[in-house]
Amino acid sequence: MDERTALRLLAADLPGAGDDAAIVDDLVVTTDMLHEATDFPAGTTRYTAGWRAVGASLSDVAAMGATATCAVAVYAAPELDEAELGDFVQGARDVCEAVSAEYVGGDLDTHHEFTAVSTAIGRTDDPVLRSGATPGDLLCVTGELGRSAAAVRLFDAGEVERANDLFRFTPRVDAGVELRDTATAMMDSSDGLARSVHQLAEASDCGFELDWDALPVHDAVETVATDDTDHRDLAAYFGEDFELVFTISEDELDAARAEIDVPLTVVGRATTGSEVVADGEAVPDRGYTHGGD
Amino acid sequence: MDERTALRLLAADLPGAGDDAAIVDDLVVTTDMLHEATDFPAGTTRYTAGWRAVGASLSDVAAMGATATCAVAVYAAPELDEAELGDFVQGARDVCEAVSAEYVGGDLDTHHEFTAVSTAIGRTDDPVLRSGATPGDLLCVTGELGRSAAAVRLFDAGEVERANDLFRFTPRVDAGVELRDTATAMMDSSDGLARSVHQLAEASDCGFELDWDALPVHDAVETVATDDTDHRDLAAYFGEDFELVFTISEDELDAARAEIDVPLTVVGRATTGSEVVADGEAVPDRGYTHGGD
């Protein structure tokens, strides 16, 4: 059983689960495990790891259109080094502060592999789900894609400082809150844009037409991509980015842009049917599978 | 740096942390990592593991006198086996149901060692802290001590079914809620009674006199203890039990007993000074260190 199948089984069985975060009363709750082998390339600082682990959960809170209340994290490593732990906690605190949430601690454990598990809690009375897109809605993303993909290449190349900078993203909590009344469907791009759009299509029972040329791609991708195919892979399929992918009525877009501090880019449109296509060709449903392929 | 030192450093630096659960507005939040090498002896079923991992977090919610709202868990194992995952989730759901909380899912990961990380959220406007005991207050525990200690011996002896039964405790959420107006200080006994009392003493700036003979010890301890010293070790020092340890004014005890479904046993009294003694001798501050000694 691969992880995606397992996650589907879980979601099907749990009424509160299945979107980017679970919904309980006025709370949204999300938890994520990251570990060295799959999530923290050699050169990732503990400060970046703390920021990124907690940031990933805060991004799920953002994807629900919720305010971010607080986060906790478990830090597990072969040895509990005071400086490393301090750096991790500082990263966790700083990413919380960036979205006006409170970092309130967690648990420690010795573990043969460095592992971080973060849980974030947000509040909203009216969460934005993945299921509300209607044919005709514009498909948009916040910020720029490919940041983490470029970072991984830069870690491989030994450009560690730049890679760490790229790995520390700002969760889009403010944008998510501003979009909660106008976005018809929303999630984050952690599985890659292509897979995210497939997930919106499935949840909303619609199709999407993407415009590859419209994708807002981070400058760093230009410097690491080997050719055009690689460029698209990094921007649209690699994933582990934490931008919001959302749909919105065309009438609402200008007002949303005026309210939100990060760029919103239209990258396509919801369609009738169930296909996800770009420039007339089917977009494969592939992307990042956490802990998997 | 050992884990206890590391935890202290964390608590000192984080205003919201340091009790059994962190407090944020009207929420209490707690997270715990358990893994095979230190927490799940050979023979522990995945159902028991799910129950116990989530139960440990719910016990922290109980220790704050909060109602239990929900829990999430991360399941990480070398292979994602459908039956094992299903059993784990069922255990997590059942322990939530036992305390009227909602299990709302979590995350999955492949990891070389079976690892479970649970996070529970509760609500209270007036959490019970460890710091409110006053000399003269009675020291009490819910239920019976030594349950997990006996279970570990039974796992070693191959009596797996009985051991699994003992490992699945009911978190004392109902008792915690009933005690929230009368308990002056409260925590759970997960580090063992002796260490818990030391922690109450330190937080409340008082001492305690314990009465060893008064300890309510689970029957199973009788069957596995090798002698009287061992019996005391299992009941008072081994830990990993999840009973409430609390202080209460003598005037309030009868009313509390009348309201609460589990037995409350008086095991000592808060004193002036800072010593923890039993039968005239100092009680060492030793017990279970999570992931440590």
Side-chain angles (χ1 to χ4, degrees), chain A residues 1 3 6 10 13 17 26 32-33 35 80 82 89 93 104 107-112 115 119 121 123 291, chain B residues 1 3 6 10 13 17 26 32-33 35 80 82 89 93 104 107-112 115 119 121 123 291:
Chain A
M1 183 170 64
E3 191 187 322
L10 274 185
D13 209 27
D26 62 333
D32 302 276
M33 175 180 279
H35 53 102
L80 297 178
E82 189 173 333
V89 170
R93 293 176 70 147
V104 294
D107 194 18
L108 294 166
D109 210 344
T110 47
H111 214 291
H112 91 295
T115 303
T119 303
I121 300 168
R123 287 189 197 256
Chain B
M1 185 170 61
E3 188 186 324
L10 275 185
D13 208 28
D26 62 332
D32 301 275
M33 175 180 278
H35 53 101
L80 298 178
E82 189 172 333
V89 170
R93 292 176 70 146
V104 293
D107 194 17
L108 295 166
D109 210 344
T110 48
H111 215 293
H112 90 297
T115 302
T119 303
I121 299 168
R123 287 190 197 256

Side-chain angles (χ1 to χ4, degrees), chain B residues 220-265:
Chain B
V221 174
E222 302 289 343
T223 66
V224 301
T226 53
D227 58 25
D228 286 353
T229 306
D230 189 43
H231 188 274
R232 179 162 306 160
D233 265 0
L234 297 179
Y237 294 101
F238 185 92
E240 298 202 67
D241 274 332
F242 297 89
E243 298 296 344
L244 297 177
V245 186
F246 64 96
T247 52
I248 189 169
S249 157
E250 196 158 0
D251 303 340
E252 306 274 9
L253 182 65
D254 288 345
R257 277 200 171 118
E259 279 167 7
I260 293 172
D261 283 340
V262 298
L264 304 184
T265 306

Side-chain angles (χ1 to χ4, degrees), chain B:
Chain B
M1 185 170 61
D2 67 23
E3 188 186 324
R4 223 174 148 202
T5 312
L7 280 170
R8 277 217 185 112
L9 274 174
L10 275 185
D13 208 28
L14 292 168
D19 230 281
D20 286 57
I23 302 164
V24 186
D25 308 328
D26 62 332
L27 304 177
V28 297
V29 186
T30 177
T31 190
D32 301 275
M33 175 180 278
L34 304 180
H35 53 101
E36 196 145 31
T38 53
D39 301 293
F40 303 122
T44 308
T45 65
R46 286 291 198 263
Y47 177 78
T48 295
W51 178 294
R52 190 166 174 84
V54 173
S57 294
L58 292 167
S59 177
D60 285 330
V61 167
M64 308 299 287
T67 55
T69 304
C70 65
V72 292
V74 175
Y75 176 97
E79 289 186 18
L80 298 178
D81 177 88
E82 189 172 333
E84 288 184 345
L85 174 62
D87 286 348
F88 178 88
V89 170
Q90 194 60 50
R93 292 176 70 146
D94 287 352
V95 72
C96 282
E97 193 180 318
V99 298
S100 303
E102 199 175 345
Y103 179 67
V104 293
D107 194 17
L108 295 166
D109 210 344
T110 48
H111 215 293
H112 90 297
E113 184 188 357
F114 171 54
T115 302
V117 181
S118 69
T119 303
I121 299 168
R123 287 190 197 256
T124 172
D125 290 323
D126 191 14
V128 184
L129 305 180
R130 297 178 178 180
S131 54
T134 305
D137 285 351
L138 299 176
L139 176 71
C140 304
V141 296
T142 58
E144 293 174 317
L145 301 169
R147 200 180 156 105
S148 291
V152 168
R153 290 274 170 93
L154 291 167
F155 277 120
D156 282 350
E159 294 186 43
V160 169
E161 192 173 336
R162 173 95 173 110
N164 273 285
D165 285 346
L166 288 169
F167 243 30
R168 293 191 306 270
F169 59 92
T170 302
R172 299 303 188 194
V173 174
D174 290 348
V177 169
E178 293 291 354
L179 286 164
R180 70 177 150 195
D181 293 330
T182 49
T184 53
M186 188 154 67
M187 62 182 297
D188 79 4
S189 65
S190 56
D191 293 338
L193 179 69
R195 176 154 287 168
S196 299
V197 175
H198 274 278
Q199 289 174 308
L200 288 177
E202 189 181 336
S204 293
D205 197 18
C206 67
F208 282 98
E209 268 181 21
L210 291 180
D211 176 4
W212 285 134
D213 293 334
L215 261 52
V217 183
H218 196 284
D219 281 349
V221 174
E222 302 289 343
T223 66
V224 301
T226 53
D227 58 25
D228 286 353
T229 306
D230 189 43
H231 188 274
R232 179 162 306 160
D233 265 0
L234 297 179
Y237 294 101
F238 185 92
E240 298 202 67
D241 274 332
F242 297 89
E243 298 296 344
L244 297 177
V245 186
F246 64 96
T247 52
I248 189 169
S249 157
E250 196 158 0
D251 303 340
E252 306 274 9
L253 182 65
D254 288 345
R257 277 200 171 118
E259 279 167 7
I260 293 172
D261 283 340
V262 298
L264 304 184
T265 306
V266 178
V267 298
R269 191 182 282 272
T271 59
T272 54
S274 61
E275 303 298 303
V276 177
V277 297
D279 308 338
E281 288 185 18
V283 174
D285 180 13
R286 68 180 168 86
Y288 186 76
T289 299
H290 297 281
D293 55 7

